[in-house]
Amino acid sequence: MVSEPLNQAQAGYMLQLLNLHLSNTTDARLHQHMECWMEDVELTLAPKHQGHGMDIGFMRYNAVFSFERFPFKKQSPAVVMANVMAWLDDHDEYFEKFELAKPSFDIEPESDDTVVMTIEVELMERLSVVEAPDGEIHWRNKRWTNAPYDVWYAENIAIYSKTNPPSLVTPDDQN
């Protein structure tokens, strides 16, 4: 279990958020037997300026969660599975767009009362950088650090033309 925030390369932000969700939805006694990590990381270069920072690309990886000594008679593995699916539905903006693999669950008997339960979830997230004078990333003749940043979106704009009257664009017009 990730106990304190790590940088994105150590444990993706999505992995950390899903780990936090599972920690909040499972019995605290299970936490000492829970581990998570990233596997099969693929990087895609796709630079995009976002105002307060840059996306240097995307990171696609398998997030693996392992529960040893999971007391399946006291806590249903199906509840953990449903919480993973619920979190993905609420938070994973790339699942359908990039046709990420469906989560997989593996349960192996350990004793009469416990199992080893492994959950694998394919995740994708932006690899974000912000300018920093002492940043450890050297890119485009500047120094950067790996960090999240706020992306601001316009809520209203006004379009003016010499031949047409002013026209307000509302949130309903975004698409």
Side-chain angles (χ1 to χ4, degrees):
M1 177 165 68
V2 178
S3 57
E4 61 184 63
L6 301 172
N7 75 42
Q8 188 176 24
Q10 292 173 303
Y13 296 139
M14 297 288 284
L15 177 135
Q16 292 181 62
L17 291 171
L18 180 51
N19 182 54
L20 180 63
H21 178 71
L22 289 175
S23 296
N24 289 335
T25 57
T26 57
D27 188 316
R29 293 173 288 188
L30 299 176
H31 297 174
Q32 65 183 338
H33 304 293
M34 180 179 151
E35 294 181 307
C36 65
W37 61 90
M38 293 169 36
E39 288 184 348
D40 304 324
V41 179
E42 292 180 16
L43 301 175
T44 302
L45 182 63
K48 183 176 182 182
H49 192 277
Q50 297 280 30
H52 295 286
M54 294 274 298
D55 292 341
I56 196 167
F58 289 91
M59 185 168 63
R60 187 175 188 155
Y61 59 92
N62 288 328
V64 181
F65 297 85
S66 176
F67 292 85
E68 294 184 2
R69 294 184 244 172
F70 189 89
F72 67 95
K73 292 178 181 177
K74 294 179 181 176
Q75 179 155 2
S76 171
V79 171
V80 177
M81 294 176 197
N83 272 307
V84 169
M85 300 301 288
W87 184 88
L88 287 171
D89 187 55
D90 287 344
H91 297 93
D92 193 346
E93 64 183 291
Y94 298 121
F95 185 75
E96 289 180 8
K97 182 177 181 180
F98 291 98
E99 299 178 356
L100 300 179
K102 296 175 184 170
S104 66
F105 298 88
D106 184 50
I107 297 176
E108 295 183 24
E110 194 174 45
S111 73
D112 289 341
D113 297 319
T114 63
V115 295
V116 175
M117 183 169 66
T118 306
I119 304 165
E120 287 194 39
V121 181
E122 186 176 22
L123 297 172
M124 186 169 184
E125 60 189 75
R126 292 179 180 97
L127 192 54
S128 309
V129 295
V130 293
E131 267 192 75
D134 57 348
E136 58 278 357
I137 300 166
H138 300 262
W139 181 46
R140 295 186 174 179
N141 298 318
K142 296 179 182 176
R143 295 182 71 128
W144 307 80
T145 192
N146 177 232
Y149 56 83
D150 290 331
V151 177
W152 292 2
Y153 298 95
E155 293 181 11
N156 297 301
I157 61 172
I159 300 173
Y160 296 93
S161 168
K162 288 183 180 180
T163 58
N164 295 323
S167 170
L168 291 178
V169 177
T170 65
D172 294 337
D173 297 326
Q174 289 179 354
N175 296 325

